[in-house]
Amino acid sequence: MTSPPSYIEVAIALPVYKTYIYSVPENLSALASAGKRALVPFGQRRVTGYILGSCKDINQEEIKIVLDILDEKPLFPSSMIPFFRWTADYYMHPIGDVIKCALPGGLNLYDFVTIAITEKGEETLFKNSVTPLESEILNRLKTESCRLKDLCKNLNKHIPNALIHGMERRGLIVHKRKLKGGTTRPKTERHVSFVGSDIPMDRLSDSGKKIIDAIKDQGEISIGKLKALVPSAPRLIKSLETAGYISIINKRVYRDPFGEPITSDAAHRLTNEQKSVISTVLGSLGRKFATCLLTGVTGSGKTEVYMQLAAKAISRGYCVLVLVPEIALISQMERRFRARFGECVAILHSGLSAGERYDQWIRIARQEVAIAIGARSAVFAPFTDIGIIIVDEEHDTSYKQESGLRYNARDLAVVRAKFHDAVALLGSATPSIQSYYNVTTKKFEEVTLKKRVEKRPLPEITVVDLRKSRDVRGIRRFITPELNGAMEATLERGEQVLLFLNRRGFASYPVCSACGETIRCKNCDISLTLHQEANAYKCHYCGFTRASASNCNSCGSSKIRLLGLGTERVEAAVKALFPDARTARMDRDTTRRKGSILRILKGLRNQNTDILVGTQMVAKGHDFPNITLVGIICADLSLNFPDFRAGERTFQLLAQVAGRAGRGAAPGRVILQTYNPDHFSVLSATEQDFKTFYNAEIGFRKSLNYPPFSRMVQLKISGKDKAKTRQHAQAVGDLCNALKRNNTSFLKSVEILGPVEASLPRIAKQYRWQILLKGLSVKPLHRFLHLMLFKNRAKISNRHVKVVVDVDPIFMM
């Protein structure tokens, strides 16, 4: 008697919102467990799905059968599935796509349709009884089958679908399905070990003896290490294996993403403030869910608090998850944690290769490590017993993902902590308005570090009014006498200088001096930036480039004035002003290559760099004791953005970058140059006074009903055709207003702003519109969106225009 079929719930790794039920054949039933991938039929295709659990109640009419189980062990624990469901529901995103975003890339299998030549096609081609285009197609398919779009690309021609269908009907070609993907796999290395101890050493060559001695020393050794000792080892071990002296096995190894070894470190002596913070947080650890906001001046020892809390959590049998906003900061945090905790630390971020990321993920899933450190995607690390989730620099906008699944890792960290009854510790010297508001409403508990470690003073900040140097020409307009003199004095003392400008490139506003026209991007409504090193104008939004020798598009003149400023221009000026100083630059242009961030930071740490010029990458969390001078070239770049958070971002950036100065024994100094010395954001940053800034900013937010007094959802509408995009944006706006009119519960709970053109109306050839939905709470907004997206899908979907939902948007441009 055969057992009844078992059924599983599967989330498909495609943009579909539902989950699906599949039947599991008997030969696979023992393997089908939650957290594994399954290869399943979906429509006419075979695709990867994620097993969410077993099912008893079957509501589907047609039950398809699982084709294969793709994993030996689960990629994520079943305890994460409720968290994935919550994330999908809150951010209005397909759950299969949520899980796909969480997992390392390159794992999934999909099938695709290829076109292949038949025997009849080859005969017809030989007889030359086809049209010239058909002959080109058949000749190309003789080498290998391929997809239609690849065929068009290879032949550099548009091939009508009707022609392909006609050739298939005549039997010249055939459509086939192929599986692709699964490019990320475990890494294996060949290792050798002894079969027996009775080895006649006198019969071996000198190289053979060296190999045997190395195996004796190690017990088991990789062929890579053997080759370093004996170059001819790969050839010799075959004969040793044939003689029955050794065995060769393939052994799984982890790719090493860490690089250089770290000197171990002991816990530091805590200040009374640090002890108080740790005691408060430990009061909740292992007992209940809690969210604590750790506010502390820059240099107050937040990282030491994180590490000592991590040690306490591990001693109680819990795992620790540490989030940092950018890859540039991970190396510093990872070094400090590895020095303290050794090999039980894993890292997760997009700077790793696919294989390295996969290995780190598997180490976490197999419970081989207790600490994971990473950027925003690390919030999905596959831990089962999380005790504490630490979010460093919690205010940072880099925690918000701006494509695909548009999640905020800081917010998800709090949610995940709640699912695990864990502690979420959010740390920042300049907390977000949202988080501090949660302190005032008792959602979060505040813990504070008011003093720097070792009683070091905060840096002295001098404000320089750039309006006074408006008539000065050249770089002296921005490297003012005050800044220049401070740099000279700092370098004479053998100390380091940090110059901050949040704009990369050489000249950000090139203008034709003949007709006054800006040199603009052909794909975006924005000016290009000259990058002198690359000898090209570049668009910082879509990546379009044109040669720096290009003439004006409007009048053809070659006389282009290079206005505006960027880090590249500052670097060039500093090298001219201080030719003996060792100058480096840290921005997105200099940190593209793997390892480049580490190299720049290592130069700074080892004091091989005297002056570092950088963008906001240098403003966050870095700790270099010998930097005693910070020069803020222009403090106003983010102040006038058409965004209600512009003042908040300006205050945070200025206070953070100022905090890089004076973190060692020598006192620090900051030269803050600005056109708006009286703006409350600049004044508060000068005083390093978050409370004063918060009290001023929260009043503006309340009067305009902006977050944290409301919740927002942004509908981003984009398309290649200007008129069609505008029409669809207006149609979606009409639908929103009709839903509000026809449902009385939305009349007071949902406010609709727009549709309006985006502040940057065109990016990457896409015309952009937006609608903003505001509500006092998230529930009515979600009900409204469900009605709009799922009950009126036909009115929202459009072949030519894309509508994206961004819950809790950060960037409003």
Side-chain angles (χ1 to χ4, degrees):
M1 185 175 169
T2 57
S3 58
S6 57
Y7 299 98
I8 55 172
E9 182 186 10
V10 175
I12 303 298
L14 289 171
V16 289
Y17 286 88
K18 285 171 58 182
T19 58
Y20 295 85
I21 308 300
Y22 285 89
S23 170
V24 184
E26 200 171 336
N27 65 316
L28 295 177
S29 59
L31 300 171
S33 55
K36 291 184 179 181
R37 293 170 303 141
L39 186 67
V40 295
F42 189 75
Q44 299 298 312
R45 304 172 63 186
R46 293 168 293 170
V47 299
T48 300
Y50 309 106
I51 303 174
L52 302 182
S54 57
C55 294
K56 288 181 182 175
D57 299 323
I58 309 303
N59 298 320
Q60 281 178 210
E61 290 178 11
E62 267 189 72
I63 306 291
K64 293 182 178 179
I65 298 171
V66 170
L67 302 172
D68 198 4
I69 303 296
L70 300 175
D71 299 301
E72 183 187 342
K73 292 185 178 178
L75 288 174
F76 54 87
S78 58
S79 60
M80 284 188 71
I81 292 168
F83 175 60
F84 286 139
R85 291 189 196 274
W86 188 96
T87 304
D89 184 57
Y90 184 80
Y91 289 106
M92 301 279 168
H93 202 79
I95 185 169
D97 214 33
V98 168
I99 299 172
K100 181 183 173 185
C101 289
L103 292 173
L107 292 177
N108 292 336
L109 297 172
Y110 298 93
D111 74 357
F112 62 103
V113 177
T114 62
I115 305 168
I117 190 169
T118 61
E119 281 186 27
K120 185 179 177 183
E122 291 195 28
E123 288 171 14
T124 311
L125 183 63
F126 180 73
K127 292 174 183 173
N128 200 20
S129 55
V130 287
T131 66
L133 180 55
E134 287 174 340
S135 175
E136 280 188 72
I137 292 168
L138 293 173
N139 271 313
R140 172 65 186 81
L141 294 177
K142 269 183 78 175
T143 56
E144 62 172 342
S145 60
C146 65
R147 290 180 291 184
L148 177 59
K149 70 174 185 179
D150 295 328
L151 195 58
C152 296
K153 192 176 176 183
N154 288 331
L155 298 180
N156 198 21
K157 287 180 180 174
H158 170 67
I159 302 171
N161 277 317
L163 177 66
I164 295 296
H165 292 316
M167 291 176 73
E168 188 177 22
R169 277 197 306 272
R170 285 153 56 201
L172 306 180
I173 58 173
V174 65
H175 282 86
K176 291 182 176 179
R177 289 191 170 272
K178 273 189 181 179
L179 274 177
K180 69 166 184 171
T183 52
T184 304
R185 298 184 180 93
K187 183 181 179 182
T188 58
E189 276 185 4
R190 290 190 301 159
H191 282 65
V192 294
S193 60
F194 288 129
V195 173
S197 56
D198 187 21
I199 301 171
M201 298 292 283
D202 55 321
R203 294 185 193 171
L204 299 178
S205 65
D206 290 343
S207 296
K209 287 172 184 174
K210 276 187 185 177
I211 290 170
I212 296 299
D213 288 340
I215 301 170
K216 276 181 182 173
D217 275 351
Q218 306 269 342
E220 183 178 271
I221 188 170
S222 72
I223 291 176
K225 283 184 180 176
L226 269 180
K227 191 178 175 184
L229 296 169
V230 183
S232 59
R235 178 174 52 81
L236 291 172
I237 59 168
K238 288 178 183 174
S239 59
L240 291 170
E241 185 190 31
T242 306
Y245 303 147
I246 62 168
S247 68
I248 303 172
I249 55 164
N250 274 325
K251 192 175 178 183
R252 176 161 183 180
V253 293
Y254 290 130
R255 286 154 274 223
D256 180 18
F258 293 113
E260 60 185 49
I262 302 291
T263 308
S264 61
D265 160 53
H268 297 181
R269 190 175 176 184
L270 296 170
T271 65
N272 289 332
E273 279 188 333
Q274 288 173 320
K275 286 176 185 173
S276 175
V277 168
I278 289 171
S279 175
T280 303
V281 176
L282 287 178
S284 299
L285 182 65
R287 293 186 178 91
K288 61 177 182 177
F289 160 67
T291 305
C292 298
L293 179 65
L294 172 57
T295 59
V297 295
T298 52
S300 58
K302 290 188 286 293
T303 305
E304 184 62 30
V305 168
Y306 299 156
M307 289 196 288
Q308 297 219 14
L309 281 169
K312 296 285 186 186
I314 292 168
S315 71
R316 297 182 187 183
Y318 294 109
C319 298
V320 179
L321 183 52
V322 183
L323 302 185
V324 289
E326 285 194 359
I327 295 170
L329 285 175
I330 290 174
S331 63
Q332 177 176 279
M333 188 73 78
E334 164 246 307
R335 284 176 66 85
R336 295 185 69 173
F337 268 78
R338 279 175 62 216
R340 186 75 54 88
F341 298 100
E343 293 302 309
C344 76
V345 178
I347 56 171
L348 283 174
H349 59 79
S350 59
L352 303 178
S353 70
E356 286 169 346
R357 185 173 164 81
Y358 172 74
D359 285 351
Q360 295 295 300
W361 181 276
I362 293 299
R363 289 178 73 212
I364 299 167
R366 293 183 176 177
Q367 301 179 15
E368 294 174 12
V369 296
I371 300 171
I373 300 171
R376 59 178 173 251
S377 62
V379 76
F380 298 110
F383 281 129
T384 48
D385 299 315
I386 295 177
I388 184 167
I389 303 179
I390 295 163
V391 184
D392 191 32
E393 310 293 356
E394 66 83 27
H395 66 277
D396 201 291
T397 53
S398 299
Y399 283 122
K400 174 71 172 176
Q401 170 76 20
E402 281 301 304
S403 60
L405 171 62
R406 293 167 186 264
Y407 66 95
N408 190 314
R410 178 202 62 200
D411 299 344
L412 279 187
V414 175
V415 173
R416 187 153 189 210
K418 190 171 185 178
F419 274 107
H420 286 265
D421 282 329
V423 175
L425 179 63
L426 315 182
S428 177
T430 55
S432 62
I433 296 291
Q434 179 73 54
S435 292
Y436 200 77
Y437 178 75
N438 286 337
V439 167
T440 65
T441 58
K442 308 297 181 189
K443 276 187 179 179
F444 295 176
E445 183 177 0
E446 185 181 17
V447 286
T448 310
L449 299 172
K450 294 179 180 176
K451 296 173 185 171
R452 282 188 158 187
V453 292
E454 298 178 11
K455 298 180 180 177
R456 289 172 188 149
L458 284 166
E460 171 202 337
I461 300 180
T462 304
V463 177
V464 176
D465 189 347
L466 285 176
R467 291 174 299 185
K468 293 176 182 176
S469 59
R470 272 183 173 156
D471 297 330
V472 178
R473 289 182 172 252
I475 197 64
R476 292 284 185 184
R477 182 176 173 183
F478 291 99
I479 297 184
T480 58
E482 293 91 335
L483 178 56
N484 190 75
M487 289 174 71
E488 283 179 353
T490 303
L491 293 172
E492 279 173 16
R493 293 193 301 270
E495 294 162 1
Q496 292 169 298
V497 178
L498 175 64
L499 296 181
F500 168 74
L501 179 69
N502 207 19
R503 184 172 284 160
R504 59 195 174 98
F506 187 86
S508 56
Y509 197 69
V511 176
C512 175
S513 54
C515 70
E517 193 66 31
T518 313
I519 307 300
R520 302 181 78 84
C521 175
K522 71 170 187 178
N523 304 322
C524 310
D525 288 333
I526 198 150
S527 61
L528 293 171
T529 297
L530 176 69
H531 288 249
Q532 203 167 60
E533 234 174 59
N535 210 23
Y537 294 108
K538 291 185 181 181
C539 175
H540 290 174
Y541 285 88
C542 74
F544 169 75
T545 60
R546 59 182 287 192
S548 61
S550 304
N551 294 348
C552 172
N553 278 348
S554 294
C555 69
S557 172
S558 60
K559 295 178 181 177
I560 309 297
R561 289 192 67 196
L562 302 174
L563 305 179
L565 195 65
T567 48
E568 202 178 7
R569 191 172 208 162
V570 172
E571 180 193 25
V574 166
K575 284 179 175 176
L577 290 170
F578 301 97
D580 297 329
R582 295 162 298 179
T583 304
R585 175 163 52 92
M586 187 170 167
D587 55 26
R588 202 181 298 171
D589 297 320
T590 62
T591 56
R592 287 187 195 280
R593 289 189 176 179
K594 189 173 180 180
S596 54
I597 291 175
L598 291 174
R599 191 178 63 253
I600 293 168
L601 294 178
K602 188 177 178 182
L604 204 61
R605 186 171 64 248
N606 296 341
Q607 297 182 29
N608 296 325
T609 299
D610 299 313
I611 303 171
L612 179 67
V613 180
T615 57
Q616 64 180 4
M617 294 176 86
V618 303
K620 306 169 183 180
H622 296 295
D623 187 10
F624 294 104
N626 202 45
I627 291 177
T628 57
L629 176 67
V630 168
I632 299 171
I633 301 293
C634 183
D636 312 296
L637 294 183
S638 59
L639 199 52
N640 298 313
F641 279 2
D643 187 334
F644 72 92
R645 290 191 182 91
E648 179 182 4
R649 284 195 195 126
T650 300
F651 167 77
Q652 288 165 345
L653 209 48
L654 298 182
Q656 286 285 340
V657 76
R660 299 314 107 206
R663 296 171 78 96
R669 189 181 176 199
V670 178
I671 307 290
L672 190 156
Q673 303 180 157
T674 174
Y675 288 106
N676 293 279
D678 301 322
H679 193 283
F680 76 96
S681 296
V682 175
L683 289 172
S684 302
T686 303
E687 299 296 324
Q688 296 270 301
D689 187 350
F690 171 74
K691 295 283 175 71
T692 299
F693 169 76
Y694 175 83
N695 290 332
E697 179 71 12
I698 203 74
F700 295 130
R701 300 280 182 95
K702 190 170 186 179
S703 63
L704 295 168
N705 195 30
Y706 275 125
F709 298 99
S710 66
R711 304 299 289 269
M712 297 198 312
V713 175
Q714 190 179 30
L715 302 180
K716 299 174 186 273
I717 302 158
S718 58
K720 287 192 175 182
D721 185 287
K722 188 175 184 179
K724 285 177 182 174
T725 306
R726 185 187 70 247
Q727 287 163 11
H728 194 62
Q730 288 166 347
V732 174
D734 292 342
L735 173 62
C736 290
N737 287 309
L739 285 175
K740 183 176 174 179
R741 280 194 310 271
N742 298 334
N743 193 319
T744 52
S745 67
F746 297 137
L747 287 174
K748 290 185 178 178
S749 62
V750 176
E751 185 183 353
I752 300 164
L753 303 175
V756 294
E757 256 192 324
S759 301
L760 293 171
R762 190 173 64 117
I763 290 179
K765 297 184 179 178
Q766 296 284 319
Y767 293 92
R768 305 163 70 242
W769 285 67
Q770 55 193 31
I771 298 170
L772 199 60
L773 307 176
K774 284 168 69 178
L776 292 177
S777 70
V778 78
K779 283 185 179 176
L781 282 175
H782 270 68
R783 282 204 317 274
F784 186 87
L785 283 166
H786 270 282
L787 263 178
M788 198 180 78
L789 294 175
F790 302 122
K791 304 289 184 187
N792 292 275
R793 181 171 289 282
K795 295 178 183 176
I796 294 289
S797 19
N798 185 299
R799 279 179 57 206
H800 306 288
V801 183
K802 187 177 176 184
V803 179
V804 169
V805 175
D806 190 358
V807 179
D808 301 331
I810 293 287
F811 300 100
M812 312 292 286
M813 300 281 283

